[in-house]
Amino acid sequence: MKFLIISLVLSVLGFSFLYAQSTASKQISSMKFESAHLDSAKRVWIYTPKSYKSSEKRYPVIYMFDAQNLFDAKRSYAGEWEIDEYFDNLKNADKEVIVVGIEHGNEKRIEELTPYPHEKHGGGKGDDFMKFIVNDLKPKIDMKYRTLSDKTNTMLFGSSLGGLMSLYGTIKYPDVFSKAGVFSPAFWINPEIYDLVEASNGFENNTFYFMAGDSESEDMVTDMEKMIKLLHSEGLKSKQIKSKVVKGGQHNEQLWRENFPDAFEWLMN
């Protein structure tokens, strides 16, 4: 728990390496989106496949949280996921996707990425954040880019608070998102998420990839396994859920970067 809190504080402060060189792919663009659901405009980074400009193909879309840490070492305070490098080197054209990375609000990160308020840490505006994605961002992305906009081709992905929100968004909007990558989920800050899953329906055909390291916190793996057991009790089959516990894995970008390819490959099958 202590390590998770320290990690969250670092994320809120939004530290970056001042002298780091940009590592962002040429396939990355960014823009700001206004929202009636949020207090301020939100910048997003969009990765389009190398084949995008030379084809008429339509692509699945992954919506990812904490964009500052996804594509560019210069923007990340603790290293990046190297999402753009992974997709730039992807050999299988059938798995090309558009990635939409949504920035966190720095000091407002906990506020934005928690569906329920926490007695000590505050927050609780995660539902507004999801309304921004579903009602404001996704329609504009589908209009501007050649996307496959149906739920089968739309995924949420994140780590820590982003992992919590990836599960929450998929449960809350099962007709919009059919898949979720749930890394190191911070269920401890919003245990109400278990009650939501138990009370919800409509996600019975969705798929989930869970991953955590066994050195993240005392409760990380047990909390994740509790959620997986609950999802099974709600009717999800073994083929709809995959989980991985990384021996020695710590709560950081390295863990998430190294495990993203396997999660993506499984979710896309």
Side-chain angles (χ1 to χ4, degrees), residues 49-112:
K50 289 182 176 180
S51 66
Y52 188 86
K53 289 184 178 179
S54 61
S55 75
E56 296 299 320
K57 181 180 176 180
R58 291 187 173 273
Y59 301 85
V61 183
I62 308 177
Y63 289 88
M64 300 188 70
F65 298 94
D66 297 324
Q68 290 95 323
N69 298 335
L70 299 179
F71 307 114
D72 194 348
K74 189 175 179 64
R75 293 184 179 275
S76 172
Y77 77 87
E80 56 156 320
W81 287 40
E82 299 181 2
I83 296 297
D84 47 340
E85 285 87 349
Y86 171 73
F87 285 114
D88 275 352
N89 293 297
L90 193 68
K91 303 302 182 184
N92 188 346
D94 291 336
K95 292 187 177 179
E96 291 179 322
V97 297
I98 293 171
V99 182
V100 180
I102 309 157
E103 70 176 355
H104 63 70
N106 295 309
E107 72 279 359
K108 293 184 177 181
R109 182 171 183 261
I110 291 178
E111 178 181 307
E112 292 179 342

Side-chain angles (χ1 to χ4, degrees), residues 210 223-233 241 243:
F210 290 87
D223 285 352
M224 184 179 79
E225 290 176 343
K226 177 181 176 182
M227 179 59 72
I228 292 169
K229 183 178 180 179
L230 176 58
L231 287 169
H232 281 309
S233 74
I241 301 175
S243 64

Side-chain angles (χ1 to χ4, degrees), residues 39-266:
D39 294 335
S40 60
K42 185 64 67 177
R43 181 168 292 280
V44 302
W45 283 264
I46 299 100
Y47 175 90
T48 53
K50 289 182 176 180
S51 66
Y52 188 86
K53 289 184 178 179
S54 61
S55 75
E56 296 299 320
K57 181 180 176 180
R58 291 187 173 273
Y59 301 85
V61 183
I62 308 177
Y63 289 88
M64 300 188 70
F65 298 94
D66 297 324
Q68 290 95 323
N69 298 335
L70 299 179
F71 307 114
D72 194 348
K74 189 175 179 64
R75 293 184 179 275
S76 172
Y77 77 87
E80 56 156 320
W81 287 40
E82 299 181 2
I83 296 297
D84 47 340
E85 285 87 349
Y86 171 73
F87 285 114
D88 275 352
N89 293 297
L90 193 68
K91 303 302 182 184
N92 188 346
D94 291 336
K95 292 187 177 179
E96 291 179 322
V97 297
I98 293 171
V99 182
V100 180
I102 309 157
E103 70 176 355
H104 63 70
N106 295 309
E107 72 279 359
K108 293 184 177 181
R109 182 171 183 261
I110 291 178
E111 178 181 307
E112 292 179 342
L113 301 186
T114 50
Y116 311 98
H118 186 274
E119 182 179 2
K120 180 179 179 180
H121 300 291
K125 295 187 177 180
D127 198 48
D128 290 337
F129 201 90
M130 284 309 307
K131 288 177 181 176
F132 159 68
I133 296 175
V134 172
N135 298 329
D136 300 328
L137 179 59
K138 186 178 184 299
K140 291 178 181 177
I141 293 294
D142 291 336
M143 184 180 300
K144 183 176 177 62
Y145 295 91
R146 296 194 311 275
T147 68
L148 293 169
S149 61
D150 61 293
K151 63 170 285 183
T152 304
N153 290 288
T154 309
M155 183 190 309
L156 282 173
F157 211 116
S159 64
S160 192
L161 294 180
L164 167 68
M165 287 294 291
S166 293
L167 179 72
Y168 175 80
T170 309
I171 298 298
K172 192 80 172 180
Y173 298 95
D175 294 330
V176 179
F177 309 101
S178 68
K179 305 171 185 178
V182 184
F183 280 9
S184 307
F187 294 148
W188 66 270
I189 199 169
N190 275 173
E192 300 93 335
I193 191 73
Y194 297 102
D195 296 329
L196 175 71
V197 171
E198 192 168 10
S200 299
N201 54 53
F203 59 87
E204 294 81 5
N205 295 317
N206 291 355
T207 55
F208 301 86
Y209 189 106
F210 290 87
M211 188 281 300
D214 66 2
S215 297
E216 295 194 60
S217 73
E218 293 181 1
D219 301 322
M220 175 63 73
V221 173
T222 54
D223 285 352
M224 184 179 79
E225 290 176 343
K226 177 181 176 182
M227 179 59 72
I228 292 169
K229 183 178 180 179
L230 176 58
L231 287 169
H232 281 309
S233 74
E234 292 297 308
L236 272 71
K237 306 295 189 293
S238 295
K239 66 180 181 180
Q240 293 172 259
I241 301 175
K242 184 171 182 179
S243 64
K244 181 179 181 181
V245 176
V246 178
K247 185 176 178 59
Q250 299 182 357
H251 196 81
N252 56 34
E253 272 67 29
Q254 179 182 346
L255 176 68
W256 306 325
R257 175 175 64 247
E258 291 176 351
N259 287 279
F260 176 80
D262 285 345
F264 170 76
E265 291 283 340
W266 186 83

